[in-house]
Amino acid sequence: MAEEKIENLMRKQNKIRNIAIAAHIDHGKTTFSDNLLAGAGMLSEETAGKQLALDFHEDESTRGITIDSASVSMIHEIEGETFLINLIDTPGHVDFGGDVTRAMRAVDGCVVLSCAVEGVMPQTETVLRQALKELVKPVLFINKVDRLIKEVKLTPEAMQERFVKIINHVNQLIKEIAPEEYKEKWQVSVADGSVAFGSAFNNWALSFPYMKKKGITFKEVIEAYQGTDEEIAENVKALAKKAPLHEVVLEMSVEHHPNPVDAQKYRIPKIWHGEIDSQIGKNLMDCDANGELAFVPIKIVVDKHAGEVAAGRLFSGIIKQGDEVHLNLAKINTRVQQVSVYKGAQRVIVDEVLAGNIVGVVGLRDVVAGETVSKNPMEPFEAITHLFEPVVTKSIEPLKSVDLPKLVDVLRQVGKEDPSLKIEINEQTGESLMSGMGELHLEIIENRIKSEKGLEVKTSQPIIVYRETVARVSNVQEGRSPNKHNSFFIMVEPLEDEIYDAIISGELPERRMKKKNEDVANTLRNLGWDGGTIRNVRDIFKGNIFLDETRGEVHMGEVIDMVLESFENVMKAGPLAREPCTKMKVSLIDIKLHEDAIHRGPAQVYPAVRDAISAAMRNSMISLLEPLQTHIIEAPNQFMTAVTKLVSTKRGQLLNVDKDEAGVTIRAKLPVAEMMGWSSDLRSATEGRGVSSLADQNFEKMPVELQEGVVRKIRGRKGLAENQ
């Protein structure tokens, strides 16, 4: 029985591989995963590749794109040794990139899938960047080789050239993105078998070691695609029997991906910032099944029968039914009702699961993806941050007002299932907002609410999320508490570009500084800050830094948390239009506090700090930043003029234009505010033959002439007075 085998293997940590598949949209990931499943005996071979077993949601089958990452465990035997391979399939569409980021937290290796015809695409770069950020080791699979033979009709030499180009591109990216000690170590190569190529659709694959072992030549592959359609079909079937995709790929994974014990030795210091020498630190580093419990859910799936299932990685200890556990972010205790491992789309309920496995847990009340679940309170794992923030918001309401309570429940559920979606529910006004990565993201969530949750809803036009920032150093501004007994003196100034970039890239972790942190200090020192300034850093929050420059203030320890709370509240909603603030350095220069603690409680501190920061921001030319997205647009050559014209009508700027016989590739930067309906506009400009993919996203200062109108509109929408 596969289930018994899985239960036995999950106890042998050196026989476990946790991997993800990551690629650009439509490069064949789900078909590829299906074939792996079929090969491992988890799906019938006939339906593999057609069944899309990992696309559970109806909208995934109808749209033909994978939206949720699904987890699955497979058994693979190599020369008498059996391995347990836990695979997480991830979406390729950029609007669901948050899922990819979270999947990378749970795995130690990834198979980067690249299409042989299209090569490395922007989204392939993005997922590789996310993998390397989490220290997940890549191998490369070049897919759709059958198309090079049948459609593009390349000679073996030309095909080799194409492969070399893709491999060099991936290696170049690894060199650019990977941390210093892995730039060379993690290069992929044909010779050592960390590169394989094949056709997921036709279910065959080859790698250099496999060809040597089985005596297969590339010539045989090309010959398989010669002759009539019937002959080709027969040949390809024979090739798939001789070199089955699952054997080649799973062998590559077993050989080149680390087991959890080896991986945690170098991954833990990167993703967990507690004391490595503490007991829990040692348990995590050793992936110790006898150590303290530490579990990180990366996905919350709602199961019709069991309720919420938190799927994630167990980094240390054993988790079993009935365990009382602590959620470190929610700061609550709850009880584990059920523990399971995966077999295809099914969960197999087991008594207990050991460290190093991917596990599904039922019963964790109020858990969210990225939470740290343990027996006793511990330093949580680093927050899982996605490369891009949600920048498009829609308000959503039920068609029938009696369904309002149901909508609130459904939105909370949807927010758990997809944490890259931001849900805000205003209990007073009854207004509910959802923010996502783009128009398509929100459209799909809306359809899901209707089809899966059975709730009829209507949504507003998309709203763009802006950012507030300052242009120069302010004077010191005083904020006084309502009882006039406490004063806070604060100044703000723009944050240096290199510091801001380090926060956004994750090099500087966003959190409050409770104690001296050497990593943070070193990073800031390398970026040019002096020791005195570094010592004053108290909080890094949403691209802003708070400095405490007061000296010898006796009661500081009692109020600092309230001050930081207030600072964070202003950063979430700035004074200009209640939009989030970014790229600012806020310094507390001096404070005067009442001797008596009763006169300096939250009701006094919060408004005083808020007023001081707001006044300082107004004093330093507060301005709006708008989100811009860099898109890579590909189209046949004859549409080049149409595309460039479309970009300019949307206030866009052309960054680069590449033209060859295959078509034109345009890199353009466009304001998100002008991008509503972008995909249909592009389709009509290129007769349906243009495709566009998101490569980057950033915020830039709005044109001055547009700012006032936009601020007025936002304030009007939020019901704020004209000038506050």
Side-chain angles (χ1 to χ4, degrees), residues 592-660:
K592 293 195 175 82
L593 294 175
H594 194 282
E595 278 305 306
D596 195 342
I598 204 159
H599 294 302
R600 45 167 202 266
Q604 306 302 328
V605 174
Y606 286 173
V609 175
R610 184 192 62 221
D611 293 350
I613 298 175
S614 301
M617 284 178 71
R618 287 206 171 85
N619 181 253
S620 59
M621 266 183 69
I622 185 169
S623 56
L624 264 199
L625 301 176
E626 65 173 342
L628 286 103
Q629 291 184 337
T630 303
H631 277 253
I632 292 180
I633 306 149
E634 292 163 294
N637 281 324
Q638 69 263 37
F639 297 112
M640 184 171 132
T641 321
V643 173
T644 49
K645 197 170 155 197
L646 177 65
V647 168
S648 63
T649 59
K650 293 192 174 286
R651 272 202 300 129
Q653 54 193 87
L654 293 175
L655 302 178
N656 193 18
V657 178
D658 269 334
K659 203 172 165 188
D660 58 23

Side-chain angles (χ1 to χ4, degrees), residues 300-309 338 345 347 362 413 417:
I300 313 298
V301 183
V302 178
D303 180 305
K304 277 203 274 288
H305 311 293
E308 286 181 6
V309 183
Q338 199 187 74
R347 288 183 307 113
V362 175
Q413 221 174 47
E417 290 176 11

Side-chain angles (χ1 to χ4, degrees), residues 160-368:
Q160 205 170 340
E161 246 171 66
R162 178 72 60 100
F163 294 157
V164 168
K165 194 175 161 191
I166 292 173
I167 294 163
N168 288 346
H169 192 158
V170 169
N171 279 333
Q172 186 53 43
L173 287 172
I174 293 171
K175 245 195 188 108
E176 283 168 23
I177 307 163
E180 208 49 58
E181 61 272 39
Y182 301 101
K183 286 185 189 308
E184 293 302 327
K185 201 162 132 188
W186 281 1
Q187 295 282 300
V188 296
S189 94
V190 173
D192 71 3
S194 54
V195 174
F197 44 86
S199 160
F201 190 69
N202 293 143
N203 203 3
W204 62 268
L206 290 172
S207 68
F208 189 61
Y210 196 86
M211 287 160 86
K212 252 172 54 182
K213 188 165 81 178
K214 299 279 176 139
I216 304 173
T217 64
F218 201 62
K219 195 163 162 281
E220 282 179 57
V221 174
I222 293 178
E223 283 169 1
Y225 286 93
Q226 313 300 321
T228 63
D229 287 354
E230 285 78 22
E231 286 168 346
I232 292 175
E234 280 309 306
N235 296 344
V236 167
K237 246 188 183 147
L239 183 60
K241 287 263 183 288
K242 202 169 180 185
L245 178 117
H246 79 278
E247 244 179 61
V248 175
V249 172
L250 297 182
E251 225 158 271
M252 171 166 75
S253 181
V254 165
E255 183 60 37
H256 290 279
H257 286 144
N259 65 48
V261 180
D262 292 344
Q264 284 186 205
K265 287 191 174 19
Y266 58 82
R267 284 193 70 213
I268 290 297
K270 177 91 171 97
I271 57 178
W272 184 72
H273 300 297
E275 294 292 339
I276 293 294
D277 295 333
S278 64
Q279 191 52 54
I280 183 81
K282 287 178 184 143
N283 295 160
L284 289 170
M285 292 288 280
D286 298 339
C287 186
D288 189 349
N290 299 315
E292 286 241 7
L293 172 72
F295 166 65
V296 177
I298 56 146
K299 185 164 190 61
I300 313 298
V301 183
V302 178
D303 180 305
K304 277 203 274 288
H305 311 293
E308 286 181 6
V309 183
R313 165 78 169 257
L314 186 57
F315 284 98
S316 164
I318 290 177
I319 193 163
K320 50 182 180 292
Q321 187 179 345
D323 277 353
E324 176 150 327
V325 292
H326 179 70
L327 308 186
N328 287 278
L329 298 179
K331 295 190 171 43
I332 57 168
N333 289 347
T334 182
R335 194 175 289 280
V336 173
Q337 289 168 7
Q338 199 187 74
V339 183
S340 51
V341 287
Y342 286 87
K343 171 181 171 274
Q346 297 93 38
R347 288 183 307 113
V348 179
I349 296 167
V350 290
D351 296 331
E352 58 178 33
V353 180
L354 282 69
N357 282 284
I358 305 280
V359 49
V361 180
V362 175
L364 302 181
R365 187 169 54 89
D366 294 336
V367 74
V368 293

